[in-house]
């Protein structure tokens, strides 16, 4: 016992010489009541979100390139949502919101979450007008030639079109659009492409002003004056001035020459949409041999319910984001469709290469080059 008491006194004496208090000694040998929490993920890093603002240069359906501070950045947007009001318009100011940290212009280290309008510059692009002679008109595109000899191809899916004096190759038209043209073929710099523009209207008069429909005339007592008649038909396709339609509720196909008659298509020339054909004469239900066509008028999508919308675009899926699909149509145009509110009965899983038909509402994309899908179906059933 005396040995233990002597040992304790010596220990205390040693502590006092080292400058430590008894309390320090007790704390050094006694466990702390408040233990430091352990990091169960020692190698994890904090999620970092940021955005970059710039000018859109290209969009391929799942990748985009923008220019910011004279530097080009290419982002994978296959898992992102596209929320720009104008769609994906070349030259427009956008912001890319991403997760992670950029390393210079290397975007492989980040994950893109959203593409939105640049709130600093909401009116970066103004509407422009060009004038040229029609070279070719299809369901989804129009090609014109300027006085200077340059040709330009524009996307017109769902675009309002009015031809007061008819439409054919060589006729002059005005195109109102937003966005910048591109010259993807360096060997042919005189051919411009507007793949990433938004076309608002095409017409042979400027400004576009459609006359009010004339009332149906009362039956004439003059036997030489023929009575005007109307029939409903469904657009099947178009090749410049020839509009192919099927008479409603039949399989009979008619080729209508639009070269010299007024034609108005509020929602564009999309396959599946309905038109009213005004004519005189006796229609036999098979051919146009016995009639004279006076005009063709398409439906106004704003006046239809979603159930009554029949405008369609078809093609093969080339790319997608979390809320869009991009199709390559059979007249070689790229069309991006918003699918957030669309029903889907297709069987291909919306994978690249799948051939599909999309029913869309032109009224929902008057100001955007992304069309609003209502229904997705297999093209071949």
């Amino acid at each position: 016992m005396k040995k233990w008491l002597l040992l304790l006194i010596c220990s205390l004496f040693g502590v006092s010489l080292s400058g430590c208090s008894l309390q320090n000694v007790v704390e050094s040998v006694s466990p702390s009541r408040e233990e430091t929490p352990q990091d169960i993920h020692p190698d994890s890093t904090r999620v970092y979100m940021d955005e970059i603002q710039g000018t859109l240069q290209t969009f391929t359906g799942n990748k985009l390139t923008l220019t910011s501070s004279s530097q080009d950045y290419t982002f994978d947007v296959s898992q992102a949502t596209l929320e720009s009001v104008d769609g994906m318009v070349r030259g427009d100011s956008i912001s890319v919101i991403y997760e992670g940290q950029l390393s210079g212009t290397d975007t492989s280290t980040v994950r893109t979450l959203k593409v939105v309008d640049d709130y600093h510059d909401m009116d970066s692009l103004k509407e422009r007008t060009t004038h040229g002679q029609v070279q070719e008109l299809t369901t989804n595109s129009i090609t014109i030639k300027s006085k200077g000899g340059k040709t330009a191809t524009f996307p017109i899916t769902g675009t309002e079109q009015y031809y007061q004096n008819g439409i054919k190759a060589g006729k002059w038209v005005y195109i109102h659009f937003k966005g910048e043209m591109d010259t993807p073929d360096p060997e042919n710099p005189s051919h411009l492409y507007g793949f990433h523009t938004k076309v608002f209207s095409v017409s042979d008069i400027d400004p576009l002003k459609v006359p009010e429909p004339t009332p149906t005339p009362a039956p004439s007592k003059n036997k030489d004056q023929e009575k005007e008649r109307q029939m409903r038909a469904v657009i099947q396709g178009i090749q410049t001035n020839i509009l192919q339609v099927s008479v409603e509720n039949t399989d009979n196909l008619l080729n209508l020459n639009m070269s010299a008659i007024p034609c108005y298509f509020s929602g564009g020339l999309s396959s599946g949409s309905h038109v009213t054909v005004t004519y005189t004469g006796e229609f036999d239900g098979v051919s146009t041999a016995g009639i004279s066509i006076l005009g063709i008028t398409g439906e106004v999508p704003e006046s239809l319910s979603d159930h009554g919308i029949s405008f369609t675009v078809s093609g093969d899926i080339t790319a997608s984001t979390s809320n869009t699909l991009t199709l390559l149509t059979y007249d070689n145009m790229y069309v991006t469709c918003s699918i957030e509110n669309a029903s889907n009965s297709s069987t291909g899983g919306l994978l690249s290469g799948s051939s599909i038909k999309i029913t869309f509402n032109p009224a929902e994309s008057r100001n955007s080059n992304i069309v609003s899908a209502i229904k997705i179906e297999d093209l071949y059933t």
Side-chain angles (χ1 to χ4, degrees), residues 59-62 140 155 157 195 312-321 324-339 346 350-360 369-371 373 375-379:
F59 172 68
T60 64
N62 57 8
N140 299 293
T157 305
F195 289 129
T312 66
V313 58
S314 302
D316 298 332
I317 298 175
T318 61
S320 63
T321 70
T324 68
L325 290 176
T326 295
L327 306 182
L328 176 60
T329 68
Y330 301 116
D331 49 358
N332 291 312
M333 293 300 291
Y334 290 95
V335 179
T336 299
C337 307
S338 171
I339 60 172
S346 67
L350 302 183
L351 300 177
S352 292
S354 299
S355 299
I356 61 172
K357 177 175 71 174
I358 289 181
T359 302
F360 70 96
N369 64 358
I370 297 179
V371 302
K375 183 168 56 176
I376 306 171
E377 304 170 88
D378 288 326
L379 181 59

Side-chain angles (χ1 to χ4, degrees), residues 42-54:
D43 298 325
S44 65
T45 58
R46 180 178 298 177
V47 175
Y48 184 86
M49 289 179 60
D50 203 350
E51 69 176 304
I52 184 171
Q53 297 150 356

Side-chain angles (χ1 to χ4, degrees), residues 92-206:
D92 205 4
S93 296
I94 60 171
S95 290
V96 174
I97 300 172
Y98 58 87
E99 182 180 271
Q101 290 183 290
L102 284 176
S103 176
T105 59
D106 179 12
T107 61
S108 64
T109 58
V110 304
R111 184 169 74 93
T112 308
L113 304 176
K114 287 185 180 182
V115 181
V116 298
D117 292 305
D118 180 0
Y119 66 90
H120 295 290
D121 195 358
M122 294 295 290
D123 297 315
S124 58
L125 289 175
K126 304 297 182 183
E127 184 176 320
R128 301 161 60 189
T129 303
T130 189
H131 189 217
Q133 287 180 294
V134 175
Q135 305 298 297
E136 185 179 21
L137 177 66
T138 70
T139 301
N140 299 293
S141 72
I142 186 170
T143 299
I144 63 172
K145 188 174 184 178
S146 69
K147 288 182 179 180
K150 290 188 176 182
T151 58
T153 299
F154 290 89
I156 56 170
T157 305
T159 298
E160 181 181 26
Q161 299 171 57
Y162 176 53
Y163 307 110
Q164 179 177 261
N165 301 305
I167 184 67
K168 64 179 180 180
K171 284 209 169 184
W172 290 85
V173 295
Y174 298 89
I175 298 178
H176 289 261
F177 70 101
K178 178 185 286 190
E180 297 177 358
M181 305 295 288
D182 194 13
T183 53
D185 184 2
E187 296 184 359
N188 190 10
S190 63
H191 196 154
L192 310 177
Y193 288 88
F195 289 129
H196 303 122
T197 62
K198 168 56 186 175
V199 178
F200 299 106
S201 66
V202 181
S203 180
D204 57 351
I205 60 172
D206 190 46

Side-chain angles (χ1 to χ4, degrees), residues 28-48:
S28 67
V29 298
S30 302
S32 172
R33 294 183 180 179
E34 296 183 3
E35 296 183 357
T36 303
Q38 292 183 346
D39 187 354
I40 61 174
H41 300 294
D43 298 325
S44 65
T45 58
R46 180 178 298 177
V47 175
Y48 184 86

Side-chain angles (χ1 to χ4, degrees), residues 232 264-267 273-275 297-301 303-304 308 310-311:
R232 293 257 296 171
Y264 177 50
F265 307 102
S266 175
S273 60
H274 289 76
V275 294
T297 305
E299 292 180 306
V300 178
S303 66
L304 302 173
S310 55
F311 298 82

